[in-house]
Amino acid sequence: RAGGGGGRGRRPPASLLSKFGLTLPPPADLGPDRQADLLPVLFVVGHDSGVLGGSSAVMMNRRTGYLLGDLEGDSGSSLPGLGPFMIQPLWFGGTSGGSGMAVLHQCGEVEGCDQLTEDGIFFGGDIGTAGEALNKGKLSGFQFKFFVQQTRWLPLQLEKEIRDGTWIAANVSRNVLFRPRDRNGVRPDKPLWTEIMELLGGEHVAVKRELYGEAEPEKEEDVGGLGGEEDMGDFQ
C-alpha cells in the first residue's frame, strides 16, 4: 500500500509537485540522500475505484519539524488524549484536508480504527484509548505516526498516474514503514525511498543507482528482497 515516485526521465508537472510542498524537482546539488528524502513515499489510507470515489494517502517520509508537544489547544493546554505522544514527530501528510490531523499506527486496541494491512497497520480511531496499552509498556509511541493534512486524488486519478508511471505501487511491511530513521547522525540511516527501491530489486534498483550516480555492477545477484517477506510483500 506504499507508493514512491517512480517516473524517470520526465519532469513532473507543477500540479503534482505542489501536492507535496515542492515548486521544483529536488536539485542534484542537494546530494542523493537528501533528494531521496524529498521523493514522496505515500501510504494509501482510502481508495474507491468508482467514478464518485477517489483516493487518499499520507506521506511517510516528510517531517514538519514539530513534535506533538509543540501543538496546544486554544486554551494553551495540550491536546486532549495525546499526552503519551508529546515527543512524537508530526509528519506532513500532504496539502489536502484542511487543518485536521490523521494517525497511522500498529495498535488494534484503538477504538474505531480501521485495519489496512494483514501485518497490522491501522488508521484513525480514538487514540486516547491507546493510553492504557502505552502505560503498561505493551506499545511504544513510535508505533504511531501523526500527520497534518493528507494527499488526495480525484476519482480514477491515482489509477491513471500509476499507469503513466508516476508512481511505483508496492506492499511494504510495517517494519520498514515505521522504522525510526536518524537522518542527521554521524552515520545517517538510509532514506525510506532508497530502502524500498532496493527491496523491490530489478529495474527499481537501477533507478536508485541512477539517482545516486552508482555504476552498474558487472556481475551481481539481484539484491531485491534483502529484507525478506517480513519487509516486502508482493508489489503490484
Side-chain angles (χ1 to χ4, degrees):
R1 298 181 64 102
R8 182 160 65 152
R10 295 183 292 115
R11 183 187 178 94
S15 59
L16 180 62
L17 291 170
S18 66
K19 274 191 174 185
F20 310 104
L22 301 173
T23 55
L24 296 170
D29 58 7
L30 286 179
D33 269 357
R34 182 58 182 143
Q35 290 181 74
D37 280 331
L38 292 174
L39 291 172
V41 176
L42 299 166
F43 188 92
V44 176
V45 297
H47 177 69
D48 183 344
S49 58
V51 295
L52 299 178
S55 305
S56 58
V58 290
M59 190 157 38
M60 300 296 292
N61 59 335
R62 186 77 57 79
R63 290 180 59 160
T64 64
Y66 293 95
L67 303 178
L68 258 68
D70 297 324
L71 304 179
E72 295 184 341
D74 294 337
S75 63
S77 59
S78 296
L79 296 174
L82 298 181
F85 303 100
M86 291 297 97
I87 63 170
Q88 299 308 313
L90 182 63
W91 299 82
F92 177 65
T95 56
S96 303
S99 58
M101 189 163 57
V103 59
L104 201 66
H105 56 89
Q106 302 179 50
C107 181
E109 299 178 28
V110 171
E111 294 181 3
C113 67
D114 296 318
Q115 182 168 353
L116 301 182
T117 69
E118 292 182 357
D119 68 340
I121 296 180
F122 301 86
F123 182 68
D126 182 1
I127 298 302
T129 60
E132 183 177 351
L134 284 166
N135 293 333
K136 290 182 178 179
K138 296 180 181 179
L139 294 172
S140 162
F142 290 98
Q143 291 175 284
F144 295 75
K145 297 190 77 164
F146 294 85
F147 302 87
V148 58
Q149 302 187 305
Q150 298 182 33
T151 300
R152 300 185 188 278
W153 291 266
L154 296 172
L156 306 179
Q157 183 181 5
L158 178 57
E159 292 91 331
K160 181 179 185 303
E161 290 181 2
I162 292 174
R163 289 195 304 269
D164 292 344
T166 301
W167 301 105
I168 297 167
N171 291 326
V172 183
S173 82
R174 68 182 192 177
N175 295 334
V176 172
L177 294 174
F178 282 84
R179 182 177 298 151
R181 298 172 190 272
D182 181 1
R183 298 290 300 117
N184 298 310
V186 177
R187 295 174 61 87
D189 291 324
K190 190 177 295 183
L192 178 58
W193 180 91
T194 304
E195 181 173 359
I196 291 175
M197 296 297 276
E198 290 177 346
L199 287 168
L200 283 170
E203 63 181 7
H204 306 294
V205 175
V207 174
K208 175 258 179 181
R209 289 195 182 115
E210 180 179 329
L211 177 67
Y212 280 75
E214 299 171 346
E216 187 77 22
E218 295 181 4
K219 291 288 184 180
E220 182 179 281
E221 292 186 2
D222 191 350
V223 298
L226 284 176
E229 293 183 359
E230 69 275 11
D231 284 345
M232 178 62 67
D234 297 330
F235 60 92
Q236 303 167 344

